[in-house]
Amino acid sequence: MLIAPVAFAVCVTLLLTMPAWLLIAAIFSPFGSGRRRGLRVLWVIAVYLALEVAALLTLFGLWIGSGFGLAMRRPWFQRAHYVLVGQFLAVLYRQAKSALRLRIDVEGEDPDIAAPGRPELIFCRHAGPGDSFIITHALVNWYDREPRIVLKDTLQWDPAIDIVLNRLPNRFLSKRSTHPGTMSAEEHIATLATGLDSDDVLLIFPEGGNFTPGRRTRAIERLRKLGLPQWARRAERLRHVLAPQPGGVLAALDAAPEAGIVLVGHTGFEDLDSVSDVWRGLPLDRHLTMRWWSVPPADVPAGREARIAWLYDWWAKIDAWIAEQSTRERADQGR
């Protein structure tokens, strides 16, 4: 009730002044790097602000149309919100792809081919800016799936994301300690994975954050402090991914034993660890490759330790694929 109206007013104000800022950026762009960084970034910001305003107006209309929220959980209104998410991401994807010069290829079996008409659990590698948006865009707009997503609670500072994703079956989780009696992250994930229908997918990022060398080191140290030297040794062999945190994956597998499993790896943003890295790289001129691996439910072993080993085996496979892909891209650039 407070943040959304204020954010709406701020977005409208920024949009009204954006033509002047775009003109200034265009005038001064030849004196910078020659890559029109400021102009490109401002354009993407302008598109995002316009989408934010349109989304907030649409969400307000849906709230009224649902009887001031009374019918919000009915199938038609849930579907309307997924359509809104899809349109938001489709426009943002097209504009960002053009302005930032991104090229995206997909390898492997996509969810529609691997498991048509079956719910799925998707465990995705996390690295670089915007990968969660790209994965969600692919699920909603390319494969016509309705994702349930586990996200960081800081994303709720964006009012459109806060409103639309809280109206859908998603969970915003915090790393901060919770009060006694509240649900754990694993319990939230198990709740999301329960009752998936034929076009639902549960999307989890088992690493818990974007890959950086520092986070990789801390993840290995954390395993040692927890008295898990065998997993720490396996994590040390992973060079391009973080050690997966198995709790959420195990909870999802237990709650949805009939669901198919898809592992997702991607490469293209590994060296963008900070805002300054992104700024220096603009326009990105990036080739992002996503790889999908489909696993039948029958291939998932039983038992906690066996499933953790299975997860580490898959993360090692994703790590090897990233290394191979990076070598191939460097060879292509050298030609």
Side-chain angles (χ1 to χ4, degrees):
M1 295 299 293
L2 175 63
I3 294 177
V6 171
F8 181 84
V10 170
C11 288
V12 171
T13 302
L14 290 173
L15 279 174
L16 291 175
T17 61
M18 189 58 69
W21 291 110
L22 288 170
L23 179 60
I24 293 172
I27 292 172
F28 285 96
S29 61
F31 303 102
S33 65
R35 308 182 78 189
R36 295 177 292 174
R37 291 173 178 167
L39 185 60
R40 293 173 185 274
V41 172
L42 280 173
W43 175 252
V44 174
I45 291 174
V47 170
Y48 192 89
L49 291 173
L51 290 171
E52 189 86 6
V53 169
L56 289 172
L57 288 173
T58 304
L59 290 167
F60 183 67
L62 287 169
W63 179 70
I64 294 175
S66 66
F68 303 101
L70 294 177
M72 193 64 71
R73 299 299 177 182
R74 292 183 179 177
W76 189 92
F77 285 101
Q78 291 284 286
R79 183 59 189 168
H81 283 75
Y82 277 115
V83 171
L84 175 62
V85 169
Q87 293 176 343
F88 185 105
L89 292 175
V91 174
L92 183 62
Y93 172 79
R94 286 196 299 268
Q95 295 301 316
K97 184 179 178 182
S98 175
L100 305 181
R101 294 181 184 171
L102 297 176
R103 182 163 62 92
I104 300 177
D105 293 332
V106 179
E107 299 178 354
E109 294 181 309
D110 65 59
D112 282 347
I113 295 175
R118 182 176 69 185
E120 290 185 320
L121 307 175
I122 297 183
F123 307 136
C124 183
R125 183 243 182 154
H126 209 351
D131 62 349
S132 55
F133 285 92
I134 294 173
I135 295 294
T136 305
H137 164 69
L139 292 172
V140 175
N141 292 312
W142 297 351
Y143 307 133
D144 197 26
R145 293 283 185 153
E146 296 184 350
R148 303 181 180 188
I149 314 172
V150 180
L151 312 102
K152 290 184 177 179
D153 63 338
T154 52
L155 288 172
Q156 291 183 105
W157 285 106
D158 184 305
I161 291 176
D162 178 32
I163 295 171
V164 71
L165 294 189
N166 272 304
R167 291 181 183 179
L168 295 170
N170 303 289
R171 289 293 187 277
F172 291 95
L173 301 182
S174 170
K175 289 185 177 180
R176 296 185 298 272
S177 60
T178 56
H179 296 289
T182 58
M183 293 176 64
S184 66
E186 289 77 11
E187 289 171 329
H188 280 294
I189 291 171
T191 300
L192 280 183
T194 301
L196 298 173
D197 62 27
S198 60
D199 61 354
D200 285 336
V201 296
L202 174 65
L203 176 59
I204 298 177
F205 298 90
E207 293 160 297
N210 286 328
F211 173 87
T212 66
R215 283 179 176 167
R216 173 183 175 273
T217 300
R218 289 192 295 272
I220 295 170
E221 292 174 350
R222 181 176 58 86
L223 289 170
R224 289 200 180 98
K225 290 179 180 178
L226 291 174
L228 300 171
Q230 72 276 28
W231 304 123
R233 288 191 295 270
R234 294 200 60 172
E236 286 178 331
R237 295 196 289 268
L238 303 174
R239 311 305 301 177
H240 307 282
V241 295
L242 301 180
Q245 301 177 29
V249 172
L250 298 178
L253 291 172
D254 288 338
E258 76 290 346
I261 295 93
V262 174
L263 286 301
V264 182
H266 63 80
T267 182
F269 291 151
E270 287 76 11
D271 57 330
L272 303 180
D273 295 340
S274 65
V275 174
S276 60
D277 290 335
V278 176
W279 176 254
R280 285 193 298 269
L282 288 172
L284 295 176
D285 291 312
R286 295 286 168 141
H287 177 202
L288 175 66
T289 302
M290 288 193 298
R291 178 67 161 88
W292 306 72
W293 291 270
S294 180
V295 180
D299 289 353
V300 179
R304 178 181 176 83
E305 292 299 313
R307 287 185 170 182
I308 294 175
W310 170 85
L311 179 61
Y312 269 83
D313 288 342
W314 268 107
W315 240 243
K317 184 173 183 177
I318 293 173
D319 185 70
W321 175 82
I322 293 170
E324 179 184 349
Q325 192 71 20
S326 299
T327 301
R328 185 189 311 167
E329 290 178 359
R330 285 194 296 269
D332 291 341
Q333 292 173 359
R335 293 174 183 173

